[in-house]
Amino acid sequence: MKKYIIIISLLIPIALFSQQIEKGSMLIKNGTILTVTKGTIDKGDILIKDGKIHKIGRDLKATSDMEIIDASGMFVMPGIIDAHSHLGIDAVNEATSPVTAEVFVGDALNPFDIGIYRALAGGCTTSHAMHGSANAIGGQCETIKHRWGTEDPEVLRMKDAPRTIKFALGENPMRVHGEGSGIQPATRMGIEQVFRKAFSEAKQYKAEKAAMINGVGPLYNERMEVLSDILDGKIIIHCHSYRADEIVMLMNVLKDFGVNKICFQHVNEGFKIAPELAEFGASASVFADWWAYKFEVYYSTAYNAAILQRNGVITSINSDSRELIRHLYHEAAKSQKYGGLSDDEALALITLNPAKQLGIDNRVGSIEEGKDGDIAIFNVHPLSVYAIPQYTIVDGVVRFNINEDPDDMRLYVDPNEDIQTYHYEAGHGHDHDHDGCMQDVFETGLFEEKH
Amino acid sequence: MKLSKHILILSLLVLSSLSMLHSQTIEETIRPVTNAIAIENATIISKPGMSTNNANIVIKNGIIKSVGANARIPKNAKKLKGDSLYVYPGFIDALGHIAIPKAKEEENKDRPKSPGMATHKQAGITPELKASTIINANDKTVAEWRKMGFTSAHTVPKGKMLPGTGALILLKGSTAEEMLVSDASSLYAQLQGSGRGAAPATVIGVIYKYKELYRQATQAKNHESMFSRNSVGAKRPVYDKALKAFYPVIDRKYPVYFKANKSLDIHRVLQMQKELGFPLVLTGVKDGAAVSSKIKSANASVLLSTDLPKAVEEKKEDDKKEKEEEISEETKAMTARKNEAIKNAESQFLQFNQQGIKTAFTSADAKSKEFFGNLKRMKDAGATDDMILAALTTTPAELLGVSNLMGSLDNGKMGNLVVLNKPMLEKGAQIKYVIIEGELFEYEIKQKKAKKKGDGEEVSSEALKVLLGDWEYTIDTPDQVRKGGLNFSGSPDEIIGVISSDDMGGDTELENVSFSNNEISFNFDIEMGPNTATLEVEATVDGEDMTGNMTVGEFGTFPFSATKVSPE
């Protein structure tokens, strides 16, 4: 009998462990530590224990089982956070209705997306995997940690991160639904009404549920459930937006329905209404210097981030791109060049501020004792144009190592892939949408509209 | 493949009779003149792990009457000599689309004004559609899989997210009624959105919708039972046929068979199951060994696809040397990883068995011609004969709740069996008889042709190389030039060909592929409205070019040509 118990108890932890998040312990020695919140420490050490920053100081001692990274001459910063990305998900837009609050990109996480590893190669440890901008009220988004190596989508989730949802203003929902299907919204006026109608319906649904008689309430409706949660302040809105007038419109709508948790995304004309945004308590996630790619984005400035930040709006710089996410540190440096932000202010644009916008600043976004062991180590100062990430660490586990990672970092290999064809076609100059890595690009939804 | 309208009309007239003739020659059906049938002196494998030599089996009125060395054979029984034959329980397809016709095209044209306004039907939500109501007893898949030893099948409608309710059928009979064993065996679900036309379009749309429907069904069912207890002053329950189709699942009368090809699909389905708690069979699994512990703890079963990736190429020594220099290090490394992925696919069946997960096979998306070959590859990867036999017989019977009816050769069970000239997965094994509920289907055992030099009958592996691989074909029809892909694989014993084009909406298997002296011929069937037409191709292969003709019945012959795109 005893023997069996021993055998069983040996087996159980393995089965349970397989889905658990890997957490590491390590000592990062002798680096220039850019804490973002508590200044810069020269020749400092960081001790990470079980995935959390245990101690920051000098001459810290590692236990014998700990990995030690010698960061002499290197710069150590908090893992970069991207508040707007579409990595690691197999569907971006459920573009079938102006309101799709019911869908959740977290239902289709894809830990095999090679983009996650490439983001790590840019020092990025956390990203906000967002629904697209086809609908006025899009789907719910997921905050993921770049735990490259896991094959379990559940492990990618940043557990306990607040729920978020995508909203969108302007041309995208107008084009998809107004032009595409001939329904509301065909204009910006229509978009306002989509929000008002959706919130009003949700209020009604909530009331019907509250008035439930004999256990019989309204038929369960996922869309109304999610909208009710927005009204109840349980979900942070992240709204795709460009023009100042429509941003003010949405703030007015939210005021009317008593909702105040919102981060405006892109917000290219944010500089025009920075005081209004600050007063509302809205935050802003912007591009460093990218605009004029369509009519409604005609008007912006590279000073946008600095103006917003100096007016008291919590501001971040995002990528919204598989490529930009690999060098957000350059993007942050641009706003320093144009807007004259301090190092800490510029670094906060890609660390602490996006963490605040995602409601995860208690765990990540700066190098502080008690926070997650998410660290990016650079050869030179990360705001330098010569910066190259050397190590990227998530939960105390090295997930990117520029010197030791093998060439082929794919987690998934398609047994039917045609290796010959690629080389043949590449060699003969045929048009081909593969890039050099032969990555099997996963299907991502119907429309690839993201901006 | 859609041919132009005037070809279609003409060929309908000419070809419908031709193609019927063609299909009748595939196998010989012997109508029973006696209600008893017996096989004498055979090796009888009555269930996995139980084999008896020199034994008899007697079937009377469709039921197994006696099995064993001493089984007495009634005088009036039709006797089949079983010397050197091997008798197995008839195979059960644990899920497939056998006898289910292709979806009609008009249905696709029915689109909502806006995708968000889709009806359930437009959205692909038809769980109430019973497979039993759309079965076509004459569908070619019935004979195709019977020929592979399948005697019964769990068949489900084709479609998008919730195609319908599955039925258990016997692979015999001339009407749906004659085939049916059960008209409600499962709820079939897929993670497939309806596309641009209707919501849900994407996988996230499907997952939310499935969860919402399940919760609504649970709610509606409770409401109904409350209402039946006390209806005075109570709100009337909604009537929704889609929700009602979930009730047997909620009552755990049968499971949801959820299609999940890849490990990510499996994770997604398991996550839904975790939230909702429905009985689950994962079907169409191709890549799931890495998730096996999660499947096990969810108490789900697995139906593995018998479709395997192309086998790892065995290269000859001289061949290797020649190419060595051209292949880059990167290609070599990637090929090694690809080969590893192929090996994983082959060993998956073994891994699921070792985990103690109930594992059977699905015919959906698989080619019947590759069936035994792929089972053999799983065996070579370590699976035992008993594991494979269980996956074809006792396990699907158990999953479908019909262990009392079929799955083994025991007295009182249905007379469903398959008889081979050799043990099932031995080289050269062929099926001689398939018996379904006592009805005999006989097949010809093909003797291997002796090689005669210069005869040109047999082609060597070396000579076959010129054919194997991917081709791009062109057909010059009077009004249009049609293009598509062709692929040849296999060995001189059996050349496997597949033709594909956008018009056909997928791959079609070639039949009667023959290749000798660089002359290739094959034929294949196309759907033309309710009929099937056979197209025949004869061509000459010269290096990377193939030129010849395609004959479309008596309507006409058109130039057919192809060029090689890549070798196998």
Side-chain angles (χ1 to χ4, degrees):
Chain A
M1 187 65 195
K2 254 187 188 165
K3 206 192 272 174
Y4 286 113
I5 292 172
I6 292 168
I7 292 169
I8 289 166
S9 58
L10 281 175
L11 290 172
I12 288 169
I14 296 167
L16 291 176
F17 228 76
S18 63
Q19 282 168 45
Q20 261 179 12
I21 293 157
E22 194 187 342
K23 288 181 176 159
S25 299
M26 63 164 60
L27 180 65
I28 301 163
K29 277 191 79 70
N30 213 22
T32 304
I33 302 173
L34 308 166
T35 67
V36 177
T37 46
K38 294 183 174 166
T40 300
I41 303 166
D42 280 330
K43 295 187 180 168
D45 302 346
I46 302 171
L47 187 70
I48 299 172
K49 239 182 175 173
D50 296 327
K52 297 270 180 197
I53 298 173
H54 184 67
K55 214 161 171 50
I56 304 161
R58 291 210 171 100
D59 299 322
L60 301 181
K61 295 278 172 282
T63 51
S64 58
D65 56 332
M66 271 185 196
E67 185 176 348
I68 297 174
I69 292 179
D70 181 5
S72 304
M74 297 187 198
F75 286 74
V76 182
M77 71 172 283
I80 292 169
I81 299 167
D82 187 355
H84 191 135
S85 144
H86 304 281
L87 287 183
I89 49 177
D90 272 354
V92 175
N93 273 303
E94 170 68 27
T96 49
S97 167
V99 182
T100 57
E102 62 274 17
V103 302
F104 174 35
V105 298
D107 284 335
L109 292 178
N110 181 352
F112 300 134
D113 183 351
I114 194 77
I116 297 171
Y117 176 72
R118 293 177 183 161
L120 281 166
C124 183
T125 53
T126 299
S127 63
H128 187 210
M130 299 187 79
H131 189 273
S133 54
N135 315 330
I137 299 184
Q140 299 158 77
C141 315
E142 181 73 294
T143 302
I144 60 170
K145 280 201 143 190
H146 296 167
R147 298 179 177 116
W148 184 252
T150 181
E151 298 192 356
D152 188 339
E154 297 309 309
V155 173
L156 220 51
R157 290 185 212 282
M158 182 169 186
K159 236 186 120 202
D160 304 327
R163 292 165 68 194
T164 57
I165 191 165
K166 179 74 172 277
F167 278 25
L169 307 175
E171 289 173 12
N172 287 359
M174 278 155 54
R175 187 172 64 244
V176 173
H177 303 287
E179 255 176 70
S181 300
I183 58 168
Q184 203 178 46
T187 62
R188 286 185 159 77
M189 296 182 288
I191 288 175
E192 176 174 356
Q193 294 315 310
V194 170
F195 293 126
R196 292 192 180 274
K197 197 173 152 213
F199 284 141
S200 300
E201 280 177 16
K203 275 174 85 172
Q204 213 175 338
Y205 179 81
K206 270 177 72 179
E208 278 174 37
K209 256 177 90 173
M212 183 159 84
I213 309 156
N214 296 334
V216 181
L219 192 63
Y220 181 86
N221 185 312
E222 185 69 29
R223 181 181 297 175
M224 290 301 137
E225 294 283 334
V226 176
L227 290 170
S228 301
D229 288 346
I230 298 172
L231 291 175
D232 291 345
K234 293 177 184 164
I235 303 178
I236 305 170
I237 299 165
H238 281 255
C239 186
H240 162 106
S241 57
Y242 297 113
R243 274 173 38 174
D245 56 346
E246 57 183 10
I247 292 167
V248 172
M249 174 276 285
L250 185 60
M251 288 195 288
N252 286 335
V253 171
L254 296 181
K255 245 181 239 165
D256 290 348
F257 288 89
V259 178
N260 56 20
K261 289 184 180 169
I262 184 159
C263 171
F264 285 96
Q265 292 283 342
H266 309 317
V267 53
N268 285 46
E269 289 185 10
F271 63 95
K272 293 182 179 177
I273 47 163
E276 287 83 353
L277 286 165
E279 194 199 331
F280 189 87
S283 59
S285 186
V286 304
F287 295 129
D289 60 353
W290 190 25
W291 64 89
Y293 43 89
K294 56 180 167 177
F295 190 69
E296 65 179 347
V297 210
Y298 196 73
Y299 196 172
S300 194
T301 165
Y303 294 85
N304 202 16
I307 293 171
L308 286 161
Q309 180 72 24
R310 289 283 161 88
N311 274 279
V313 179
I314 292 165
T315 304
S316 69
I317 285 184
N318 69 56
S319 80
D320 190 15
S321 148
R322 302 171 73 81
E323 188 277 326
L324 264 186
I325 197 170
R326 300 164 65 178
H327 51 89
L328 278 169
Y329 46 95
H330 286 335
E331 301 304 298
K334 283 177 186 172
S335 64
Q336 182 172 39
K337 172 182 164 42
Y338 294 116
L341 296 180
S342 70
D343 281 5
D344 278 350
E345 279 175 319
L347 288 175
L349 292 174
I350 52 169
T351 55
L352 188 66
N353 293 358
K356 285 178 180 166
Q357 292 169 342
L358 298 172
I360 52 174
D361 52 309
N362 59 333
R363 283 184 51 190
V364 291
S366 61
I367 297 180
E368 289 179 64
E369 286 170 10
K371 284 202 172 181
D372 291 5
D374 294 4
I375 305 283
I377 303 178
F378 285 78
N379 58 338
V380 294
H381 194 287
L383 294 172
S384 155
V385 77
Y386 300 108
I388 299 170
Q390 304 295 304
Y391 300 89
T392 307
I393 295 152
V394 183
D395 305 315
V397 178
V398 177
R399 298 285 182 182
F400 167 74
N401 181 335
I402 198 168
N403 295 312
E404 283 175 24
D405 286 350
D407 291 340
D408 185 357
M409 285 297 289
R410 292 173 303 162
L411 293 175
Y412 174 75
V413 176
D414 182 356
N416 291 309
E417 72 180 6
D418 200 342
I419 295 166
Q420 285 305 116
T421 306
Y422 167 69
H423 285 275
Y424 171 80
E425 289 185 352
H428 289 71
H430 287 260
D431 273 340
H432 210 278
D433 55 7
H434 281 144
D435 62 21
C437 201
M438 254 298 277
Q439 160 64 8
D440 177 32
V441 179
F442 294 90
E443 294 281 324
T444 51
L446 292 176
F447 304 89
E448 276 298 305
E449 192 65 58
K450 287 170 188 174
H451 311 301
Chain B
M1 176 185 286
K2 279 178 232 148
L3 294 178
S4 62
K5 208 184 274 169
H6 67 279
I7 298 182
L8 187 106
I9 295 162
L10 274 167
S11 42
L12 278 183
L13 296 171
V14 181
L15 284 179
S16 52
S17 53
L18 278 178
S19 59
M20 275 171 69
L21 277 174
H22 176 74
S23 69
Q24 276 177 5
T25 54
I26 290 171
E27 65 182 56
E28 201 180 330
T29 309
I30 300 166
R31 293 271 161 209
V33 289
T34 161
N35 60 0
I37 190 165
I39 301 171
E40 292 177 285
N41 200 29
T43 303
I44 297 178
I45 299 90
S46 59
K47 66 184 74 161
M50 190 173 288
S51 166
T52 318
N53 296 329
N54 306 105
N56 306 333
I57 179 164
V58 181
I59 299 158
K60 206 174 170 187
N61 296 325
I63 309 284
I64 297 172
K65 190 81 182 157
S66 52
V67 196
N70 304 316
R72 201 185 60 80
I73 296 172
K75 282 205 175 105
N76 67 343
K78 176 181 172 66
K79 287 177 204 160
L80 302 172
K81 282 212 185 335
D83 307 69
S84 78
L85 294 184
Y86 294 78
V87 182
Y88 293 88
F91 303 155
I92 304 166
D93 180 16
L95 184 140
H97 305 293
I98 295 178
I100 301 290
K102 277 185 188 161
K104 284 178 196 143
E105 280 203 23
E106 309 101 70
E107 282 176 28
N108 301 333
K109 285 179 191 154
D110 173 29
R111 288 195 159 195
K113 182 179 180 292
S114 145
M117 298 172 185
T119 60
H120 272 178
K121 193 170 171 241
Q122 289 163 334
I125 300 170
T126 54
E128 72 283 0
L129 174 66
K130 287 191 162 183
S132 61
T133 62
I134 54 169
I135 282 170
N136 173 9
N138 301 316
D139 195 272
K140 67 175 183 180
T141 50
V142 178
E144 192 183 313
W145 286 94
R146 181 169 59 214
K147 201 173 154 189
M148 293 297 136
F150 283 82
T151 56
S152 56
H154 168 215
T155 191
V156 296
K158 295 172 187 172
K160 303 288 184 180
M161 175 182 166
L162 284 158
T165 295
L168 181 62
I169 57 170
L170 295 178
L171 298 192
K172 63 144 200 171
S174 51
T175 64
E177 287 75 11
E178 282 176 30
M179 302 173 87
L180 276 170
V181 180
S182 159
D183 72 343
S185 297
S186 68
L187 186 66
Y188 181 49
Q190 310 185 102
L191 287 172
Q192 197 183 337
S194 69
R196 261 171 208 260
T202 60
V203 62
I204 54 177
V206 170
I207 291 174
Y208 118 76
K209 194 70 200 174
Y210 181 85
K211 291 198 281 196
E212 181 178 82
L213 286 167
Y214 197 91
R215 290 187 171 123
Q216 288 178 341
T218 311
Q219 190 188 13
K221 193 169 165 294
N222 289 339
H223 188 176
E224 258 181 45
S225 72
M226 271 189 339
F227 191 78
S228 68
R229 284 198 302 273
N230 184 11
S231 57
V232 179
K235 192 175 162 189
R236 182 175 63 89
V238 288
Y239 181 86
D240 188 323
K241 57 188 177 183
L243 298 186
K244 277 182 186 292
F246 278 89
Y247 291 2
V249 171
I250 295 166
D251 286 337
R252 306 186 82 81
K253 283 184 184 147
Y254 50 68
V256 177
Y257 283 70
F258 222 121
K259 184 172 174 179
N261 285 157
K262 295 190 171 183
S263 65
L264 286 179
D265 302 329
I266 297 171
H267 280 295
R268 286 163 195 169
V269 173
L270 289 178
Q271 187 62 25
M272 283 191 270
Q273 194 242 11
K274 198 172 157 190
E275 285 174 37
L276 304 168
F278 51 88
L280 173 66
V281 178
L282 296 159
T283 181
V285 173
K286 291 185 174 181
D287 161 32
V291 202
S292 57
S293 65
K294 214 170 170 181
I295 296 171
K296 172 106 174 138
S297 51
N299 203 19
S301 308
V302 166
L303 307 187
L304 217 63
S305 174
T306 54
D307 179 31
L308 288 179
K310 266 189 206 168
V312 175
E313 285 172 59
E314 306 278 345
K315 285 205 184 94
K316 283 181 185 166
E317 280 306 308
D318 50 337
D319 209 46
K320 223 176 179 177
K321 267 182 196 163
E322 210 174 289
K323 284 187 179 171
E324 195 91 21
E325 285 161 28
E326 299 166 26
I327 301 171
S328 70
E329 285 303 317
E330 188 188 6
T331 306
K332 273 186 209 161
M334 288 175 76
T335 306
R337 289 202 68 191
K338 177 184 168 175
N339 290 345
E340 192 191 337
I342 294 169
K343 294 282 179 199
N344 281 340
E346 288 167 345
S347 68
Q348 243 190 124
F349 175 71
L350 173 67
Q351 293 179 55
F352 283 125
N353 274 277
Q354 285 171 337
Q355 281 271 353
I357 295 166
K358 274 180 210 151
T359 310
F361 293 115
T362 169
S363 72
D365 303 333
K367 298 185 183 87
S368 65
K369 276 185 180 172
E370 294 175 359
F371 175 68
F372 280 111
N374 285 348
L375 292 185
K376 180 80 173 32
R377 285 168 66 191
M378 295 183 203
K379 185 182 171 178
D380 293 343
T384 65
D385 285 333
D386 284 345
M387 279 179 194
I388 292 169
L389 184 61
L392 290 167
T393 56
T394 48
T395 307
E398 192 189 336
L399 291 174
L400 293 159
V402 288
S403 294
N404 56 335
L405 285 181
M406 54 183 79
S408 64
L409 301 178
D410 292 322
N411 291 349
K413 291 205 179 175
M414 234 179 238
N416 294 348
L417 40 99
V418 49
V419 184
L420 291 94
N421 62 341
K422 286 181 179 179
M424 198 167 78
L425 296 175
E426 222 168 71
K427 198 173 159 56
Q430 290 181 52
I431 290 175
K432 186 160 172 64
Y433 304 113
V434 172
I435 299 175
I436 306 175
E437 213 183 17
E439 190 174 328
L440 177 67
F441 297 85
E442 192 169 353
Y443 300 90
E444 192 192 335
I445 301 271
K446 287 174 202 153
Q447 297 299 331
K448 260 202 166 176
K449 288 169 202 156
K451 266 192 192 175
K452 285 183 209 162
K453 270 212 164 166
D455 192 19
E457 282 293 314
E458 273 284 320
V459 62
S460 71
S461 310
E462 203 52 44
L464 188 63
K465 271 195 175 165
V466 68
L467 179 68
L468 301 186
D470 288 322
W471 296 75
E472 214 171 76
Y473 71 80
T474 308
I475 309 163
D476 267 322
T477 56
D479 63 334
Q480 206 183 333
V481 176
R482 291 168 188 286
K483 287 177 187 293
L486 262 176
N487 171 277
F488 293 99
S489 58
S491 62
D493 292 343
E494 188 171 28
I495 305 168
I496 298 164
V498 177
I499 189 162
S500 63
S501 84
D502 292 341
D503 292 346
M504 273 189 285
D507 295 349
T508 303
E509 258 184 81
L510 304 182
E511 288 173 36
N512 302 319
V513 183
S514 117
F515 183 68
S516 64
N517 291 335
N518 285 343
E519 299 289 334
I520 169 92
S521 69
F522 56 84
N523 58 269
F524 61 99
D525 291 345
I526 59 165
E527 306 273 333
M528 301 208 303
N531 296 309
T532 304
T534 302
L535 278 63
E536 290 166 39
V537 173
E538 285 181 1
T540 309
V541 178
D542 182 11
E544 300 203 332
D545 292 315
M546 190 188 289
T547 43
N549 291 309
M550 170 187 270
T551 307
V552 187
E554 290 177 4
F555 175 72
T557 298
F558 310 106
F560 175 95
S561 63
T563 48
K564 204 162 198 176
V565 200
S566 70
E568 194 188 36

